[in-house]
Amino acid sequence: MGQQEEMDVESLQKSGRRRGNCLDVFLVISVIFLFVAVAAVAVGGSMAVLELRSKLEPARPSIGVEALKLSGDAPDPVYKMQNFAYLEATSSELKTSTMQWAPVAYGAGTSVGNNFLFDAQQNSLKPKKVGNYFMFIDLNLTCTFNCTAGHLSVHIGDKLTCEVELPAVADKTPVSRKCWTVSRIDGQKLLTQMTVPKEGLQYWKLELSSSRFGMFLVD
């Protein structure tokens, strides 16, 4: 009987060691699997960020680079300007109307690439290619004297809306608003419509050199 009990105890000890070894192997495999999964997610995320960054960074030409502070690197010198358009405001008056824009000299050409049609008479911008476009607008306003409070709204077609709340101030208090979106454009002609209250926004003005509209093809 004593010998049988000793064999049973020894068997239980060996079985316990086997279970312990299996558990150790399982834990090691689980940790390795978790590490590989996390690494794969990290690599995939990094690749996605780099892909998006590679598309956004080239859109920063030497003109108005502060308008696209998407990264801290220098613009890609091989970027093809035909997929980028950049316009600056030409009228400081705030009124319900189509906003007036103009391209800027850039190298031997202008800031409107060959992928776009800009109509200076209608102040419209039309991308020739169908695709997803990053669009942005910067609105910078200054009070000249005893300005009234009011609401300013700017619509770029039905793709982007930028709302600005102007306070009642008596000094040259600047107000800035930056708006952006990514939207699919399929042959639409984009007009920028400004809307102000019926009573107007007296003594407020739009700063021309820092109020701009731009867009570039993402894919």
Side-chain angles (χ1 to χ4, degrees), residues 104-175:
V104 180
Y106 177 71
T110 70
S111 56
V112 177
N114 295 331
N115 180 38
F116 299 89
L117 291 175
F118 175 66
D119 189 327
Q121 298 298 319
Q122 296 184 0
N123 286 285
S124 65
L125 184 66
K126 179 181 178 181
K128 296 178 183 178
K129 294 181 180 179
V130 176
N132 295 312
Y133 287 81
F134 180 94
M135 306 170 60
F136 71 89
I137 186 168
D138 286 353
L139 299 173
N140 288 276
L141 305 105
T142 303
C143 172
T144 56
F145 177 73
N146 284 340
C147 294
T148 57
H151 181 84
L152 171 68
S153 179
V154 174
H155 301 270
I156 301 178
D158 60 350
K159 304 300 181 181
L160 176 61
T161 297
C162 200
E163 310 279 355
V164 186
E165 292 294 338
L166 298 172
V169 293
D171 53 17
K172 294 184 178 180
T173 300
V175 175

Side-chain angles (χ1 to χ4, degrees), residues 21 32 57 77 81 84 92 117 119 125 136 143 162 177 181-182 208 210:
N21 290 337
I32 293 174
E57 283 181 350
M81 275 297 295
F84 182 87
S92 60
L117 291 175
D119 189 327
L125 184 66
F136 71 89
C143 172
C162 200
R177 184 80 167 91
T181 189
V182 175
L208 302 184
S210 56

Side-chain angles (χ1 to χ4, degrees), residues 38-111:
V38 171
V41 172
V43 171
S46 298
M47 291 179 66
V49 170
L50 288 175
E51 182 181 0
L52 179 60
R53 183 186 179 94
S54 67
K55 291 178 179 178
L56 297 185
E57 283 181 350
R60 301 176 63 225
S62 58
I63 53 168
V65 292
E66 68 278 3
L68 285 177
K69 291 182 178 177
L70 301 175
S71 71
D73 299 336
D76 186 350
V78 299
Y79 175 71
K80 297 178 180 180
M81 275 297 295
Q82 65 260 27
N83 289 327
F84 182 87
Y86 172 91
L87 304 170
E88 290 186 349
T90 60
S91 174
S92 60
E93 185 178 3
L94 301 183
K95 62 180 180 179
T96 299
S97 63
T98 299
M99 287 188 67
Q100 300 175 29
W101 302 105
V104 180
Y106 177 71
T110 70
S111 56

